[in-house]
């Protein structure tokens, strides 16, 4: 069964850090691009970061540059999203996504066919 499972979310104070994990099962994540998306309360889902197949290209939305770091581990079949200097506007449900035919990054969720269930991040002041 092809599956992505996120974890690592939680409730934190502004200024804190979290590391989100996205574990793949049923397929080899190492050969695919991985995106992280965020859906804030009352807002549409947006792409915040992406890493390509080789890991030599990363994308960050302007709102998260300098605070988010995407990475991946082939041996663990996992992608990560490190979030530092958390702000209240980082609050939302974070999803990782990929597609069995996707090797390069894209900001369009349309190109991602496999999604995790999401992990909640709540940032308080």
């Amino acid at each position: 069964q092809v599956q992505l499972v996120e974890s690592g979310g939680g409730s934190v104070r502004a200024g804190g850090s979290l590391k989100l994990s996205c574990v793949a099962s049923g397929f080899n994540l190492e050969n695919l691009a991985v995106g992280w998306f965020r859906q804030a309360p009352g807002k549409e889902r947006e792409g915040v970061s992406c890493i390509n197949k080789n890991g030599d290209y990363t994308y960050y939305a302007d709102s998260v540059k300098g605070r988010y770091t995407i990475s991946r581990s082939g041996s663990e079949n996992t992608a990560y999203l490190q979030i530092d200097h958390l702000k209240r506007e980082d609050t939302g449900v974070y999803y990782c996504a990929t597609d069995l035919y996707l090797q390069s990054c894209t900001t369009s969720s349309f190109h991602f066919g496999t999604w995790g269930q999401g992990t909640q991040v709540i940032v308080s002041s």
Side-chain angles (χ1 to χ4, degrees):
Q1 181 181 3
V2 173
Q3 192 174 15
L4 293 173
V5 178
E6 304 97 333
S7 62
S11 296
V12 295
R13 293 261 190 175
S17 297
L18 284 173
K19 187 172 186 177
L20 310 184
S21 298
C22 171
V23 180
S25 60
F27 67 104
N28 190 349
L29 188 64
E30 187 175 19
N31 298 324
L32 306 172
V34 179
W36 282 94
F37 294 78
R38 176 178 69 198
Q39 187 159 22
K43 295 187 177 180
E44 293 188 355
R45 187 169 54 189
E46 62 171 333
V48 295
S49 187
C50 181
I51 187 167
N52 72 345
K53 164 190 171 183
N54 297 324
D56 57 2
Y57 172 83
T58 55
Y59 160 83
Y60 298 98
D62 289 342
S63 60
V64 308
K65 280 181 182 176
R67 300 187 300 115
Y68 286 30
T69 305
I70 191 170
S71 61
R72 64 192 307 159
S73 168
S75 61
E76 297 178 348
N77 214 28
T78 300
Y80 303 96
L81 187 67
Q82 175 72 39
I83 308 176
D84 298 316
H85 305 294
L86 277 156
K87 302 178 180 180
R88 290 192 65 183
E89 50 263 44
D90 293 322
T91 293
V93 180
Y94 285 72
Y95 301 88
C96 66
T98 188
D99 188 277
L100 298 184
Y101 300 98
L102 188 66
Q103 298 183 351
S104 300
C105 280
T106 173
T107 57
S108 171
S109 61
F110 175 80
H111 296 285
F112 292 85
T114 300
W115 293 78
Q117 83 290 348
T119 185
Q120 176 82 54
V121 173
I122 299 174
V123 184
S124 60
S125 57

